[in-house]
Amino acid sequence: MKKTKTKLTGISLLLATTMMIVSACGASGNNAANGGAQPSASPSTESASPSETTPASETPTPEAQDEGTLTVYLNDFDDIIGPMFEAATGYKVELVKGNGAEIMSRIQAEKGNPHWDVVWLDAMPSIYGMGEDNQLLTDWTPDNAANLKDSYQAYVPANKSFYPTGAHAAGVIVYNTNAYTADQAPNSWDDFAKPEFKNAVGMADPAIAAPAFPFVARFFSEKQLDGGQAFFDSLFANGLKVYPKNPNVAAALSSGEIKAAALQESNAYGLVNSGEPIGIIWPEDGAPASVRVAAIQKKTKNPNAAKAFVNFLLDPATQQQLIDQGDESYFEPSVPGVNPKADRAADANLVAADAAWAFEHEAEIKQWFADKAVK
């Protein structure tokens, strides 16, 4: 009996071992069929998948396993977007911020080995150029792109390399109310060249401030190169002062160093809301627009999180929260159902330069402008 018991025990062990091997092979086969190991359900890890409460519209169908934390390059404002996105989707995100020139220089330096997944920037012409240079994911449409207003659908390039999340005035006319009444202040862009405003007007540098290039590009694209040069020549001849960024323009206006300016709209309304003696004029012929766009790096290692981020930016609830709580809260939303700031002009007229044209002439315009500003 003792030998029989030993023999049966051996057979049982052999069968158990065989079943374990078959089970393991089956599990391995399922993982291979699904593209490898599945992501952890916990959103606390760097490569976390969306939580169970994530809205379906924010969670694209997984194409591949994300490898880590989503890295977003963006303008140096709206820190709020990071916590908003993490709370809504469970994806972890790292924000790398800077002005337009800093971000574009960083992207160019990393061209052979990009460290970013998404760029979200007030630089539509530059990002259009990145799409032409094969640096961006193309031919992908976020679910929420269907919400875009017709005017913003028109900004989406044929290759679908970026999507607009809103636009603000790269420059409105502002003036110091201690220097001018509303009737005395410049009311059109051409007024900046009038003798009564000699040495009194300032603006931001288009080679440094992200919104400043869309501002000058609008005049160059509308008047063409020769006409644009003639227009700004008239301003320089009248003593136009150029400052690195819009906050520098705002400071010069508050101090009385200048009495009027072309100033980005959030900075303009910020001065008014802080009690500064500043008036704002939206010119009838339109305020040059800076269109903010989002694009995905072509070889991103986090495609699911990247697509979720762009889709998130096009959600009306996201844009409303950015207006209600964000640092850059004065802008025109790109989707309907979003209420701009109550004190923003209801008849604000934004006019943007064509992205392809502006990109084609960007280096030339910036160089010309830099040469003039130095003189």
Side-chain angles (χ1 to χ4, degrees):
M1 288 295 293
K2 185 175 182 180
K3 290 182 180 179
T4 302
K5 182 177 181 180
T6 300
K7 185 175 181 180
L8 290 172
T9 302
I11 293 171
S12 298
L13 287 171
L14 179 60
L15 288 171
T17 301
T18 302
M19 291 297 290
M20 290 174 65
I21 292 172
V22 171
S23 176
C25 290
S28 176
N30 288 336
N31 278 341
N34 289 292
Q38 298 302 305
S40 167
S42 171
S44 64
T45 61
E46 286 192 344
S47 58
S49 59
S51 64
E52 292 181 2
T53 58
T54 300
S57 63
E58 308 298 355
T59 311
T61 302
E63 297 177 351
Q65 171 72 35
D66 287 356
E67 294 188 9
T69 298
L70 181 74
T71 300
V72 178
Y73 284 9
L74 73 166
N75 292 114
D76 47 1
F77 47 73
D78 278 340
D79 290 349
I80 188 176
I81 197 65
M84 283 172 57
F85 178 66
E86 291 184 356
T89 67
Y91 286 114
K92 304 298 290 183
V93 61
E94 177 185 2
L95 305 180
V96 178
K97 300 169 291 178
N99 63 46
E102 289 169 344
I103 293 297
M104 291 309 302
S105 294
R106 185 163 186 158
I107 288 174
Q108 182 61 30
E110 297 174 1
K111 189 174 180 181
N113 182 28
H115 299 165
W116 57 280
D117 298 294
V118 175
V119 59
W120 183 38
L121 205 64
D122 291 340
M124 183 169 65
S126 298
I127 294 178
Y128 173 88
M130 292 172 62
E132 293 296 292
D133 195 34
N134 202 32
Q135 297 182 56
L136 304 177
L137 178 71
T138 59
D139 300 317
W140 169 70
T141 304
D143 290 343
N144 285 335
N147 297 333
L148 286 169
K149 299 173 184 175
D150 290 344
S151 57
Y152 284 88
Q153 289 280 6
Y155 292 132
V156 179
N159 64 0
K160 301 180 181 178
S161 58
F162 64 74
Y163 290 89
T165 65
H168 59 261
V172 290
I173 296 174
V174 294
Y175 63 96
N176 191 310
T177 57
N178 291 330
Y180 306 123
T181 65
D183 292 335
Q184 295 170 333
N187 281 266
S188 72
W189 302 115
D190 289 335
D191 285 352
F192 280 177
K194 290 183 175 180
E196 56 263 41
F197 303 116
K198 188 172 182 63
N199 299 320
V201 176
M203 63 169 287
D205 188 338
I208 298 175
F213 176 68
F215 176 78
V216 301
R218 169 61 186 178
F219 293 100
F220 276 92
S221 65
E222 180 185 30
K223 302 174 184 294
Q224 296 302 297
L225 291 175
D226 289 344
Q229 290 176 4
F231 172 73
F232 280 104
D233 269 336
S234 69
L235 302 191
F236 281 120
N238 207 39
L240 175 69
K241 295 179 174 63
V242 179
Y243 298 86
K245 299 176 68 176
N246 280 285
N248 305 116
V249 179
L253 195 64
S254 296
S255 69
E257 182 178 332
I258 55 176
K259 298 180 177 63
L263 186 63
Q264 189 270 348
E265 68 168 285
S266 285
N267 286 271
Y269 283 102
L271 288 175
V272 173
N273 293 336
S274 64
E276 294 288 337
I278 300 298
I280 299 175
I281 295 173
W282 285 82
E284 291 184 4
D285 53 346
S290 178
V291 182
R292 197 173 193 189
V293 301
I296 298 174
Q297 195 254 114
K298 182 177 182 179
K299 297 181 179 179
T300 176
K301 296 180 180 179
N302 299 290
N304 302 306
K307 290 181 177 181
F309 186 82
V310 174
N311 199 49
F312 182 71
L313 295 176
L314 299 177
D315 190 311
T318 300
Q319 294 190 18
Q320 188 66 67
Q321 189 170 353
L322 289 172
I323 288 173
D324 293 342
Q325 302 174 19
D327 295 326
E328 190 70 16
S329 56
Y330 284 87
F331 68 89
E332 180 182 83
S334 65
V335 294
V338 184
N339 298 314
K341 286 288 190 184
D343 55 337
R344 187 176 186 269
D347 58 349
N349 178 24
L350 294 179
V351 287
D354 177 74
W357 190 96
F359 167 70
E360 180 184 353
H361 299 285
E362 181 171 8
E364 180 181 3
I365 292 172
K366 285 182 176 179
Q367 185 59 56
W368 181 88
F369 204 93
D371 291 344
K372 288 290 181 178
V374 168
K375 294 176 183 178

